[in-house]
Structure formats: C-alpha cells, structure tokens
Amino acid sequence: VLELGAGTGQDTHFLIDHGFQVTATDFSKPALDLNWETANTKTRKRLQIQQLDLEKPFPYNDQSFNVIYAHLVVHYFNKQITQQIFDEISRVLRPGGIVALLVNSIDDSEYGRGRKIEEDFFELRPERPKRYFSVNSLRTFTGRFEALVLDNKGADPRRDHKTGLIRFI
C-alpha cells in the first residue's frame, strides 16, 4: 500500500495490523517521525516511511503498488496539481489495483469561505488552501479508474464525526 498523507500513522498502523506492507508518505517529516516512533518492532517490519511532496512526481517505478490510499490529503492543491497527483497515482498503480480516497465535500460547512482561488478551491487561512469536491468533480479526476464506490456517504470520526465526505474506491 502506498499511503499518501499518512501523518502520524493512525491509518498506517490499521493497515499494517490487517496484513498490509505500507509505504507511509507525508510532506511533514515530524509527523512521519512520530509515525515511526509509535510503531512497534513487528509493525516496523511491514512499514517504510518516506517524506513526499505531492506537488512533485512520485519517486516510485511505474506499477509499483497494489493499493493507493489517501485520507483527506488531495484537497490542498489547485486543479493542475490535483490532476498531476491523479496522473501519478495512475502511473504507480498496478493493473487491477485499488485506489481508496476520502475527500472534502462541497456540502462541508466551510465551503465557500475565505478567498476563492478557483472553482471549489478556497484559501480559508493564509497559505492553507482547501479544495472541495462533489461526486461529479471527483469523477473528472478519477475517470480513468473503474469506480466501485463514488458517493458522499463518507465519514471521519476523528474530525468531530464529520459526515458527507466524498468516498472513492
């Protein structure tokens, strides 16, 4: 599994506990360090940590991963970079592989707040933009993949039980 935006590792450790080998990536080195520090010896055998800037090409060979997982991470970028991220996901995913994403929804209470940068993309705080997706707008980025799930029924119990998130598998 290639986990994009792994942060401190809540999902990383869940995936490892369920038998996956995980390459956990994040822009934040301190978050990745904490991810590694909280891993036990058994977990560390199934874990690779790597700092990754999603705005740059991924440093992986073509068709390297069976699964690519991203939990609330691909929403920080303009349309061009978002498309580039999905191009890279497509490149490093093996044929028949699985992409699993959870992204912010246009139904979010924050949607439309702050300075509008482009369609569905707002700067709520200085230098902290956020993109919001609908089922249809996510489909424009994921059209090359077969959608098994694409809806607005996602939830995140770690963020005040936020609901209405867009799920894609």
Side-chain angles (χ1 to χ4, degrees):
V1 175
L2 174 61
E3 182 181 7
L4 304 176
T8 58
Q10 297 92 335
D11 294 336
T12 305
H13 299 287
F14 176 86
L15 291 165
I16 289 171
D17 290 346
H18 285 81
F20 293 96
Q21 292 276 135
V22 178
T23 299
T25 68
D26 202 283
F27 185 77
S28 169
K29 177 90 167 76
L32 289 172
D33 290 344
L34 186 57
N35 190 332
W36 182 257
E37 290 168 14
T38 59
N40 61 38
T41 304
K42 180 182 174 188
T43 299
R44 287 182 180 177
K45 291 178 183 175
R46 303 180 69 86
L47 174 61
Q48 180 181 10
I49 297 284
Q50 187 165 15
Q51 192 170 10
L52 178 67
D53 181 349
L54 292 177
E55 291 190 23
K56 297 179 180 172
F58 296 178
Y60 308 111
N61 293 330
D62 295 355
Q63 302 178 1
S64 300
F65 295 94
N66 294 313
V67 177
I68 299 177
Y69 175 75
H71 182 144
L72 295 175
V73 69
V74 298
H75 61 265
Y76 293 115
F77 308 97
N78 65 33
K79 188 174 183 178
Q80 178 184 348
I81 296 296
T82 302
Q83 184 60 60
Q84 179 181 308
I85 292 167
F86 280 96
D87 292 345
E88 285 296 287
I89 288 170
S90 180
R91 182 183 66 77
V92 302
L93 186 67
R94 289 187 176 137
I98 295 173
V99 177
L101 307 169
L102 191 66
V103 297
N104 290 302
S105 167
I106 60 171
D107 296 325
D108 190 294
S109 63
E110 292 180 332
Y111 178 81
R113 293 188 186 171
R115 183 177 66 87
K116 184 176 182 175
I117 300 169
E118 62 184 35
E119 187 69 27
D120 300 329
F121 190 51
F122 303 89
E123 185 177 53
L124 282 74
R125 291 177 285 166
E127 301 195 29
R128 192 69 172 169
K130 196 182 241 185
R131 174 172 300 288
Y132 299 87
F133 295 86
S134 66
V135 167
N136 286 333
S137 69
L138 186 58
R139 191 176 284 127
T140 65
F141 296 104
T142 60
R144 72 187 82 188
F145 307 106
E146 177 186 353
L148 304 174
V149 173
L150 177 53
D151 63 27
N152 64 350
K153 298 182 185 335
D156 187 350
R158 293 177 289 189
R159 291 176 175 82
D160 296 324
H161 296 284
K162 192 173 197 176
T163 60
L165 298 169
I166 306 295
R167 303 183 302 176
F168 177 81
I169 299 174

